[in-house]
Amino acid sequence: MRAIPALALGALVLPLSALAADPHSYAQPEQVRVTHLDLDLAVDFPHKALGGTATLSLDWKNPKAPALVLDTRDLKIARVEGLDAAGRATALKFALAPRDKELGSKLTIQAPKHPGKVRIVYATSPQASGLQWLTPAQTADKKLPFMFSQSESIHARSWVPLQDSPAIRFTYKAHVTAPKDVRVVMSALNDAKHPLDGDFRFDQPHPIPSYLLAIAAGDIAVKETGPRSAVYAEPSVVGKAAHEFEDTEKLIEATEKLYGPYAWGRYDILVLPPSFPYGGMENPDMTFATPTVLVGDKSLVSLVSHELAHSWSGNLVTAASWRDIWLNEGFTTYVQGRITEAVYGKALADEEALLSARALQKSIGEMPENSQKLAPDPRGVGADDSLSDVAYDKGSWFLRTLEERFGRATFDEWLKAYFHRHAFTSITTEQMLADMKTNLVDAHPGKMSWDQARAWVYQSGIPKDAPLPTSARFQAIDKERAAFLDGTLDAAQLDAKGWNTQEWMYFLDRLPDAPPLSKMKQLDAAWHLTGTPNAEIGMRWYSHAIAAGDRNVWEDAREHMTRIGRMYLTLPVYKAFAATPEGLAYAEAAYARAKDGYHPMTQGAIESILRKARQGKK
Ligand SMILES: [Zn+2]
């Protein structure tokens, strides 16, 4: 996922009793494991619900296990049946525990006779945390309703009853019905030529963890971008998206050259409406992506490199729990940089690495000590909160450090073999470290001590000797910014005509937190940043201009926040408003009007910011 919810949703302390193998799941995989899922669902737009059956194939591990325990959240369970080898159904007793705010409701199914399959008849609720339902008016083309899922981290349980832990992998098949004219897609092989007859079938033959279950349905057109890639999007968006992502095959080939064959068959991209809460989600065979990267010049295509990289780091070799999620995101951010370098050049890859390293240097000091560790004590961290910039940017910085110490050829050889050795399995930080110790550190002595490697993983902060890339263009921008701020260079004299998105991001990121108002007005007069269609630039510009006290940007900032539900791009603007009483009142009014268009996750994150501001906390 390309996420960085820049503002944590609030740490959550789990009771000690929840400290099983995966503290964010009720599943008991040592008793019984789900090996395959058959879904038969109908998409019900008027009731904002998916309804039907989930049939789980089971591998009973403990001969005395009395029950199958599943994760659910806000599901309406109608009945549960055990199926014998001949497919005969027997009703099973079940109990749904009271809803836990973080984990949902534990579903205990009494099954002492250990049926090979269990079928659950159920429906989702309109408030399902992993689904968003949009009215036609909330879509780009205003013709049909739209729905999509976002299962990572622990939201699959809000639309399928299952063992919702990344340690448990299963294959799946699905039969999904929908109104005619609607196209349904899933995280499986999709057929671009499928008729829009309201009846779709899917097959995911590779075992995947539950957070990679995905579905979307709506007015979705398709355009091929290569021999094994296509773009799916609303009809008015699909052409622009196909142009922005026309290098997809080049990106796949570059990654295969580095890390071996692409294992999943097709690599399609679904561009969602702007309310999608994340940048992208690496659903197998079909990445789900924000439209905010469609800026016309391919400058934000590293999002595709990131999601594609997950086809190796994350989807192929998966973190076994949310505490280990840096194995997905840190490795992926590193691989993303390598793909960017191979296809777009080292200068751009170095700029992106520097942007993320500088942002981390700024933010890490404000985090609790435990959250600064790559492998934190999971008791202090909620599942969604574990997807922080530490997992992404400290994780990738660690791998860049290893690459520098061991040399690119040696490091590449290890990483490629690591993906191969652990393909289609879920592993812990400690299993990865054991592999790294044997096959990299001990195999090539004298490059880096084992204590140094462990310090990256288990200690807070960033090691002092962490290497940083250099960028001549960023150095020039540092000089220009300094001259502009001390008054020796007018805003209009900035050499910004040729700046790409990353260079504007870097210029704005390193302005003072609350710049002088006069400086912001000069900048806007010269470069017309207010109203920018580029949301990466907009987020940074509005945050700084609001902090500087520039009321003239408020209306455009509100428009930005209303239009974009991607948390990383909209939460910082809310936070900037929330810093003063007048701004907070304005943001609360803006939120009240925009709320219905936001994803449940975005709603929760914004409400947390506004609540904390009202209570006078940061
Ligand atoms: Zn990611």
Side-chain angles (χ1 to χ4, degrees), residues 1-3 152 280 282 306-307 310 328-329 332-333 387 392:
M1 178 155 60
R2 189 61 221 176
E152 191 176 13
E282 64 272 21
H306 181 95
E307 306 313 331
H310 272 305
N328 288 14
E329 298 303 347
T332 288
T333 305
L387 288 149
Y392 290 81

Side-chain angles (χ1 to χ4, degrees), residues 413-589:
E413 193 188 334
W414 171 73
L415 187 53
K416 183 179 178 180
Y418 160 82
F419 289 142
H420 185 73
R421 275 192 291 275
H422 303 282
F424 295 111
T425 67
S426 301
I427 64 171
T428 62
T429 296
E430 286 65 33
Q431 285 171 291
M432 188 287 291
L433 285 176
D435 186 306
M436 180 185 282
K437 185 168 190 311
T438 305
N439 300 302
L440 183 67
V441 177
D442 290 354
H444 303 275
K447 308 284 186 192
M448 190 182 201
S449 78
W450 187 234
D451 283 348
Q452 283 174 315
R454 281 178 52 87
W456 269 96
V457 176
Y458 293 112
Q459 287 181 15
S460 55
I462 303 157
K464 286 197 175 53
D465 57 352
L468 269 177
T470 54
S471 161
R473 290 183 67 97
F474 275 15
Q475 282 167 358
I477 289 171
D478 280 333
K479 280 199 190 126
E480 296 218 6
R481 189 192 310 98
F484 164 66
L485 288 170
D486 72 20
T488 53
L489 189 73
D490 280 349
Q493 293 171 303
L494 288 167
D495 187 23
K497 263 213 180 87
W499 284 357
N500 64 15
T501 303
Q502 285 74 13
E503 285 153 3
W504 269 111
M505 286 160 70
Y506 186 70
F507 177 84
L508 294 169
D509 269 351
R510 307 199 86 198
L511 285 173
D513 285 341
L517 178 57
S518 60
K519 293 284 172 194
M520 299 310 273
K521 288 194 179 295
Q522 284 172 27
L523 260 184
D524 208 15
W527 299 101
H528 311 292
L529 295 166
T530 301
T532 173
N534 186 320
E536 288 273 6
I537 294 172
M539 175 269 276
R540 289 166 171 82
W541 167 249
Y542 295 126
S543 303
H544 282 98
I546 293 164
D550 189 352
R551 288 209 168 222
N552 289 337
V553 308
W554 280 23
E555 191 54 32
D556 287 276
R558 190 184 65 77
E559 195 279 327
H560 168 104
M561 297 181 331
T562 303
R563 181 168 51 90
I564 296 162
R566 181 180 172 191
M567 292 191 280
Y568 151 71
L569 294 176
T570 212
L571 301 190
V573 188
Y574 272 100
K575 202 174 177 198
F577 272 123
T580 64
E582 309 78 51
L584 176 60
Y586 187 81
E588 286 181 320

Side-chain angles (χ1 to χ4, degrees), residues 56 248 259 285 418 581:
L56 306 171
T248 301
Y259 306 113
D285 293 306
Y418 160 82

